Amino acid sequence: MSDEIRIPKALKSADYYMQLKEKLKEQRAKIKAEEAVAYEINGEIQTYQQERLKPLVGRFFKTEKGDVFLVTGVPKIKYRLTGTVDFNPYQIPTIIATFESTGDIIGKEIYIEAETVFSRAVDAADPEAKFLSEYTEITREEFFSTIQDFLAAMIDNLTDVIDSKGE
């Protein structure tokens, strides 16, 4: 037995080699064209999902734990330099007021921040009804009254800290 590697006659031909390279090039072109179609379809899906969530924008809601929020927009499509797209249709942009008990000297942490809330509304036949099953809609007045209560609690907490002077 010989240690020599045997190459089939067909592979020794330069023409055969060029044919294989051309075939590979054609296949890659087909794949690239299909990826472009998929990218376009994905963009249409994302735009459609955004449109379905637009009726929620500008409305006020309350979570089960009592946080209140204003829906400020629809999920954003972010294009990356790498050519990829970041889009999460389940993260709804909001301004949210959160009251968290911390057990420290202040007693509560109060946040009013731009944040997202999670919802599967975009997948439902009726996104608005689904969102309303996840969160309770409140009036503008209820929202701002809660914000005022949060601010009053924050002032009370800060006053307590200042008055105690670290004691």
Coordinates of all heavy atoms in Angstrom, one line a residue, residues 76 111 153:
K76 N -39.3 50.2 19.1 CA -38.5 50.8 18.1 C -37.7 49.8 17.4 O -37.3 48.8 17.9 CB -37.5 51.8 18.8 CG -38.1 52.9 19.5 CD -38.8 53.9 18.6 CE -39.3 55.1 19.4 NZ -40.7 55.3 19.3
Y111 N -39.2 55.7 41.8 CA -38.6 55.9 40.5 C -39.7 56.5 39.6 O -40.8 56.0 39.5 CB -38.1 54.6 39.9 CG -37.1 53.9 40.7 CD1 -37.5 52.8 41.5 CD2 -35.8 54.3 40.7 CE1 -36.6 52.2 42.3 CE2 -34.8 53.6 41.4 CZ -35.3 52.5 42.2 OH -34.3 51.8 43.0
A153 N -44.4 61.6 48.8 CA -43.8 60.6 49.6 C -42.3 60.8 49.5 O -41.6 60.6 50.5 CB -44.2 59.2 49.1

